[in-house]
Amino acid sequence: MKKFFLYFAVCAMALSLSGCRSSKQVAGGLDKEQLSAAKERYAAVIDRNFDFQYLQAKVRYSLDGGKSLSGKLYVEHGQRICMTVAVLGIEMARIEANRDEVMVIDKVDKVYSRTSVADAATRLGLENEAQLEAVEALLLGRIYVPGRGIASKEDFGRLTWYPMENNELQADYVTEKYQLSYVIDGENRVVATQINVPEKNSGFVWEYAEPTAVENGWMPTQESLSATGKSPLNAHLALSNPSVGRSWTSFTPSANYREVTFAELIEIVKKLKN
């Protein structure tokens, strides 16, 4: 359980650092008429984003060949994200992220680790580019434009558009370090987010299915992650009972908890059984 939760922590922290440099200009694969139609479809995608301050949902996590675990997802729009893991209704671990740091908490061994987003960004060469909204958009199946945040209708021209089979569209955002791509299906919903990092021969695909209505919009309830590179990973998230309007309390360590480095926390996890 904890090993899986830490894998997700690493993924979430890396994604929160998906920042921008100036995008390259690439010729798209659509003519003028097709581009106009794509712009209308893009607007329909953006219209499906519902407004909220607080969002929560039940989550069931699973890894290929592993056990399924339950938990909860909490989002405060643009400010905080929390994902928990529970056993028999008792919270065992959680990941919390805000604009400044990512914290991983092991409630069984009463240890926690925090990593500064700014420090991590510096180590990755992404100073001033860390964005919590990148993770929020990923979890909710929304388009995120580096340097701009969750996409608005005005961001259509910042993406390069290509036709695909089955009336699907692909939108790319290309930088010197990575390519960020979105796939929109025939019903004008985001069905996949993909990041490729050629220099490191790695990347991931996050796929979405079974959308459900929330407020005046929608969000996916089935999400699958496939990561390639040094640490290949296949994971699945099933979301249920999403609702808006309810806040939650962030973790504050008591005297019973011990702070460790992220490396120390990984070593603790390595000694545990899956």
Short mmCIF file of all heavy atoms in Angstrom, two decimals, residues 108-142:
data_model
loop_
_atom_site.label_atom_id
_atom_site.label_comp_id
_atom_site.label_asym_id
_atom_site.label_seq_id
_atom_site.Cartn_x
_atom_site.Cartn_y
_atom_site.Cartn_z
N VAL A 108 0.85 5.21 9.75
CA VAL A 108 1.11 3.98 10.49
C VAL A 108 2.40 4.09 11.28
O VAL A 108 2.45 3.82 12.48
CB VAL A 108 1.15 2.78 9.53
CG1 VAL A 108 1.51 1.50 10.30
CG2 VAL A 108 -0.19 2.61 8.83
N ASP A 109 3.47 4.50 10.59
CA ASP A 109 4.77 4.64 11.26
C ASP A 109 4.98 6.03 11.84
O ASP A 109 6.03 6.31 12.42
CB ASP A 109 5.90 4.33 10.27
CG ASP A 109 5.85 2.89 9.80
OD1 ASP A 109 6.00 2.00 10.65
OD2 ASP A 109 5.63 2.66 8.60
N LYS A 110 3.98 6.90 11.62
CA LYS A 110 4.01 8.27 12.15
C LYS A 110 5.28 9.02 11.73
O LYS A 110 6.02 9.59 12.53
CB LYS A 110 3.87 8.27 13.68
CG LYS A 110 2.51 7.76 14.14
CD LYS A 110 2.27 8.04 15.60
CE LYS A 110 0.88 7.53 16.03
NZ LYS A 110 -0.21 8.15 15.26
N VAL A 111 5.54 8.99 10.43
CA VAL A 111 6.62 9.76 9.84
C VAL A 111 6.05 10.54 8.66
O VAL A 111 5.03 10.16 8.08
CB VAL A 111 7.79 8.87 9.37
CG1 VAL A 111 8.44 8.17 10.56
CG2 VAL A 111 7.33 7.87 8.34
N TYR A 112 6.72 11.62 8.33
CA TYR A 112 6.29 12.41 7.19
C TYR A 112 7.50 13.07 6.56
O TYR A 112 8.55 13.24 7.21
CB TYR A 112 5.25 13.47 7.59
CG TYR A 112 5.77 14.56 8.49
CD1 TYR A 112 6.21 15.78 7.96
CD2 TYR A 112 5.85 14.38 9.86
CE1 TYR A 112 6.69 16.79 8.77
CE2 TYR A 112 6.33 15.38 10.69
CZ TYR A 112 6.75 16.59 10.15
OH TYR A 112 7.24 17.57 10.96
N SER A 113 7.35 13.43 5.30
CA SER A 113 8.42 14.11 4.59
C SER A 113 7.82 15.22 3.78
O SER A 113 6.71 15.09 3.24
CB SER A 113 9.16 13.12 3.68
OG SER A 113 10.16 13.79 2.92
N ARG A 114 8.51 16.33 3.71
CA ARG A 114 8.04 17.44 2.89
C ARG A 114 9.15 17.89 1.95
O ARG A 114 10.33 17.86 2.31
CB ARG A 114 7.55 18.60 3.77
CG ARG A 114 8.57 19.25 4.64
CD ARG A 114 7.93 20.42 5.37
NE ARG A 114 7.51 20.10 6.72
CZ ARG A 114 6.42 20.58 7.29
NH1 ARG A 114 5.63 21.38 6.62
NH2 ARG A 114 6.11 20.27 8.52
N THR A 115 8.76 18.26 0.76
CA THR A 115 9.69 18.71 -0.27
C THR A 115 9.23 20.06 -0.79
O THR A 115 8.08 20.22 -1.17
CB THR A 115 9.76 17.71 -1.44
OG1 THR A 115 10.20 16.45 -0.96
CG2 THR A 115 10.71 18.20 -2.51
N SER A 116 10.14 21.02 -0.80
CA SER A 116 9.83 22.34 -1.32
C SER A 116 9.70 22.26 -2.83
O SER A 116 10.58 21.76 -3.52
CB SER A 116 10.93 23.33 -0.94
OG SER A 116 10.84 24.50 -1.72
N VAL A 117 8.59 22.76 -3.36
CA VAL A 117 8.40 22.78 -4.81
C VAL A 117 9.47 23.64 -5.47
O VAL A 117 10.01 23.29 -6.52
CB VAL A 117 6.99 23.30 -5.15
CG1 VAL A 117 6.85 23.54 -6.65
CG2 VAL A 117 5.93 22.31 -4.67
N ALA A 118 9.81 24.76 -4.85
CA ALA A 118 10.83 25.65 -5.42
C ALA A 118 12.18 24.96 -5.51
O ALA A 118 12.88 25.06 -6.53
CB ALA A 118 10.93 26.92 -4.59
N ASP A 119 12.58 24.23 -4.45
CA ASP A 119 13.87 23.53 -4.46
C ASP A 119 13.88 22.43 -5.52
O ASP A 119 14.87 22.26 -6.25
CB ASP A 119 14.16 22.92 -3.09
CG ASP A 119 14.50 23.97 -2.05
OD1 ASP A 119 14.76 25.13 -2.44
OD2 ASP A 119 14.50 23.64 -0.85
N ALA A 120 12.79 21.69 -5.60
CA ALA A 120 12.71 20.63 -6.59
C ALA A 120 12.75 21.21 -8.01
O ALA A 120 13.38 20.67 -8.91
CB ALA A 120 11.44 19.82 -6.40
N ALA A 121 12.07 22.34 -8.19
CA ALA A 121 12.06 22.98 -9.50
C ALA A 121 13.46 23.42 -9.90
O ALA A 121 13.87 23.29 -11.05
CB ALA A 121 11.12 24.18 -9.48
N THR A 122 14.22 23.93 -8.94
CA THR A 122 15.59 24.36 -9.22
C THR A 122 16.46 23.18 -9.64
O THR A 122 17.24 23.26 -10.58
CB THR A 122 16.19 25.05 -7.99
OG1 THR A 122 15.41 26.21 -7.67
CG2 THR A 122 17.63 25.47 -8.25
N ARG A 123 16.31 22.06 -8.92
CA ARG A 123 17.10 20.88 -9.25
C ARG A 123 16.78 20.36 -10.65
O ARG A 123 17.64 19.80 -11.33
CB ARG A 123 16.87 19.77 -8.21
CG ARG A 123 17.48 20.06 -6.84
CD ARG A 123 17.54 18.78 -6.02
NE ARG A 123 16.21 18.27 -5.72
CZ ARG A 123 15.48 18.62 -4.67
NH1 ARG A 123 15.96 19.51 -3.82
NH2 ARG A 123 14.30 18.09 -4.46
N LEU A 124 15.53 20.55 -11.08
CA LEU A 124 15.11 20.08 -12.40
C LEU A 124 15.31 21.12 -13.49
O LEU A 124 15.01 20.89 -14.65
CB LEU A 124 13.63 19.68 -12.35
CG LEU A 124 13.28 18.48 -11.49
CD1 LEU A 124 11.77 18.32 -11.38
CD2 LEU A 124 13.90 17.21 -12.04
N GLY A 125 15.83 22.30 -13.10
CA GLY A 125 16.03 23.35 -14.07
C GLY A 125 14.74 24.01 -14.50
O GLY A 125 14.63 24.50 -15.63
N LEU A 126 13.75 24.04 -13.61
CA LEU A 126 12.44 24.61 -13.93
C LEU A 126 12.09 25.74 -12.97
O LEU A 126 10.96 25.84 -12.49
CB LEU A 126 11.36 23.52 -13.87
CG LEU A 126 11.49 22.37 -14.85
CD1 LEU A 126 10.49 21.28 -14.54
CD2 LEU A 126 11.30 22.86 -16.28
N GLU A 127 13.06 26.61 -12.70
CA GLU A 127 12.82 27.73 -11.79
C GLU A 127 11.63 28.56 -12.25
O GLU A 127 11.47 28.84 -13.43
CB GLU A 127 14.07 28.62 -11.70
CG GLU A 127 15.29 27.92 -11.14
CD GLU A 127 16.12 27.21 -12.20
OE1 GLU A 127 15.60 27.02 -13.32
OE2 GLU A 127 17.26 26.86 -11.90
N ASN A 128 10.82 28.95 -11.29
CA ASN A 128 9.66 29.82 -11.54
C ASN A 128 8.62 29.19 -12.47
O ASN A 128 7.83 29.89 -13.07
CB ASN A 128 10.10 31.17 -12.11
CG ASN A 128 11.06 31.89 -11.19
OD1 ASN A 128 10.86 31.92 -9.98
ND2 ASN A 128 12.11 32.46 -11.76
N GLU A 129 8.65 27.86 -12.60
CA GLU A 129 7.73 27.20 -13.51
C GLU A 129 6.81 26.20 -12.82
O GLU A 129 5.96 25.59 -13.46
CB GLU A 129 8.51 26.46 -14.60
CG GLU A 129 9.32 27.40 -15.48
CD GLU A 129 10.12 26.66 -16.53
OE1 GLU A 129 10.21 25.44 -16.45
OE2 GLU A 129 10.65 27.32 -17.44
N ALA A 130 6.94 25.98 -11.53
CA ALA A 130 6.13 25.00 -10.82
C ALA A 130 4.68 25.47 -10.73
O ALA A 130 4.43 26.62 -10.40
CB ALA A 130 6.69 24.77 -9.42
N GLN A 131 3.76 24.59 -11.02
CA GLN A 131 2.35 24.95 -11.01
C GLN A 131 1.51 23.82 -10.42
O GLN A 131 1.44 22.72 -10.97
CB GLN A 131 1.86 25.26 -12.44
CG GLN A 131 2.48 26.49 -13.06
CD GLN A 131 1.98 27.78 -12.40
OE1 GLN A 131 0.90 27.82 -11.86
NE2 GLN A 131 2.80 28.82 -12.47
N LEU A 132 0.85 24.09 -9.30
CA LEU A 132 -0.06 23.12 -8.71
C LEU A 132 -1.23 22.83 -9.65
O LEU A 132 -1.74 21.71 -9.69
CB LEU A 132 -0.59 23.66 -7.38
CG LEU A 132 -1.54 22.75 -6.61
CD1 LEU A 132 -0.77 21.57 -6.01
CD2 LEU A 132 -2.26 23.51 -5.51
N GLU A 133 -1.63 23.80 -10.44
CA GLU A 133 -2.77 23.63 -11.33
C GLU A 133 -2.52 22.55 -12.38
O GLU A 133 -3.48 22.00 -12.95
CB GLU A 133 -3.13 24.95 -12.00
CG GLU A 133 -3.89 25.90 -11.09
CD GLU A 133 -4.38 27.12 -11.85
OE1 GLU A 133 -3.60 27.67 -12.66
OE2 GLU A 133 -5.53 27.53 -11.64
N ALA A 134 -1.26 22.24 -12.67
CA ALA A 134 -0.96 21.18 -13.63
C ALA A 134 -1.49 19.85 -13.12
O ALA A 134 -2.05 19.05 -13.87
CB ALA A 134 0.54 21.09 -13.89
N VAL A 135 -1.31 19.59 -11.81
CA VAL A 135 -1.80 18.35 -11.22
C VAL A 135 -3.32 18.37 -11.14
O VAL A 135 -3.99 17.37 -11.41
CB VAL A 135 -1.19 18.14 -9.82
CG1 VAL A 135 -1.67 16.82 -9.23
CG2 VAL A 135 0.33 18.16 -9.90
N GLU A 136 -3.89 19.50 -10.75
CA GLU A 136 -5.35 19.63 -10.68
C GLU A 136 -5.98 19.33 -12.04
O GLU A 136 -6.96 18.58 -12.14
CB GLU A 136 -5.72 21.04 -10.22
CG GLU A 136 -7.21 21.27 -10.14
CD GLU A 136 -7.56 22.69 -9.70
OE1 GLU A 136 -6.84 23.25 -8.84
OE2 GLU A 136 -8.55 23.24 -10.23
N ALA A 137 -5.42 19.91 -13.10
CA ALA A 137 -5.95 19.68 -14.43
C ALA A 137 -5.83 18.21 -14.82
O ALA A 137 -6.75 17.63 -15.42
CB ALA A 137 -5.22 20.56 -15.45
N LEU A 138 -4.71 17.59 -14.47
CA LEU A 138 -4.48 16.19 -14.81
C LEU A 138 -5.53 15.30 -14.14
O LEU A 138 -6.10 14.42 -14.76
CB LEU A 138 -3.08 15.77 -14.37
CG LEU A 138 -2.65 14.37 -14.78
CD1 LEU A 138 -2.44 14.28 -16.27
CD2 LEU A 138 -1.39 13.97 -14.04
N LEU A 139 -5.81 15.54 -12.87
CA LEU A 139 -6.75 14.72 -12.12
C LEU A 139 -8.19 14.91 -12.59
O LEU A 139 -9.00 13.99 -12.50
CB LEU A 139 -6.64 15.02 -10.62
CG LEU A 139 -5.35 14.55 -9.94
CD1 LEU A 139 -5.25 15.15 -8.54
CD2 LEU A 139 -5.31 13.02 -9.87
N LEU A 140 -8.51 16.10 -13.07
CA LEU A 140 -9.89 16.40 -13.46
C LEU A 140 -10.13 16.31 -14.96
O LEU A 140 -11.21 16.64 -15.45
CB LEU A 140 -10.28 17.80 -12.96
CG LEU A 140 -10.23 17.99 -11.44
CD1 LEU A 140 -10.73 19.38 -11.06
CD2 LEU A 140 -11.03 16.92 -10.71
N GLY A 141 -9.12 15.90 -15.71
CA GLY A 141 -9.28 15.74 -17.15
C GLY A 141 -9.44 17.05 -17.88
O GLY A 141 -10.22 17.16 -18.83
N ARG A 142 -8.68 18.06 -17.48
CA ARG A 142 -8.76 19.38 -18.10
C ARG A 142 -7.47 19.69 -18.86
O ARG A 142 -6.42 19.12 -18.59
CB ARG A 142 -9.02 20.45 -17.04
CG ARG A 142 -10.33 20.23 -16.30
CD ARG A 142 -10.65 21.33 -15.32
NE ARG A 142 -11.98 21.15 -14.74
CZ ARG A 142 -12.57 22.02 -13.93
NH1 ARG A 142 -11.95 23.14 -13.60
NH2 ARG A 142 -13.79 21.78 -13.46
#
